[in-house]
Amino acid sequence: MKLIQVTRQVPEKHFEHIKGTKGLYEIRVEVGNNIYRIFSFFDKGNLVVLGNAFQKKTQKTPKMEIEKALIIMKEYNNEKESK
């Protein structure tokens, strides 16, 4: 997480746009032999909002996790607009 905070251009290995989405990104975190993914999106350019996370065990990101992240992003934006 510190890498994303302090690095101007984070390598795609750690921070990647999810193809087929508008503004959804995946943060890749390695802890020992485990790999975790945290979905995120931007608010006001520099603020990274973290959504759901999961432990990735296969090559392909589960569609259900992407759909969950898109719902979180939509709810966040709706809540923000209503204030």
Side-chain angles (χ1 to χ4, degrees):
M1 299 301 285
K2 187 76 169 167
L3 177 71
I4 292 166
Q5 183 181 9
V6 299
T7 305
R8 181 168 171 82
Q9 189 168 0
V10 179
E12 193 172 322
K13 174 185 176 185
H14 300 288
F15 192 69
E16 178 180 7
H17 178 257
I18 301 296
K19 293 175 181 77
T21 69
K22 185 177 179 185
L24 186 63
Y25 292 82
E26 184 179 74
I27 300 170
R28 181 179 191 264
V29 179
E30 291 181 48
V31 180
N33 292 331
N34 298 312
I35 299 174
Y36 300 92
R37 305 296 172 128
I38 306 167
F39 287 109
S40 61
F41 51 93
F42 287 95
D43 183 3
K44 297 195 182 210
N46 291 327
L47 177 64
V48 178
V49 180
L50 303 179
N52 56 315
F54 66 100
Q55 184 175 7
K56 189 164 181 180
K57 296 182 179 185
T58 63
Q59 286 288 78
K60 194 166 184 173
T61 301
K63 187 175 181 181
M64 183 181 76
E65 294 294 342
I66 294 172
E67 290 171 356
K68 189 186 308 182
L70 290 170
I71 290 169
I72 291 169
M73 185 168 69
K74 182 177 179 183
E75 288 175 350
Y76 175 89
N77 289 326
N78 288 343
E79 174 101 9
K80 188 176 163 197
E81 289 175 10
S82 69
K83 290 185 178 184

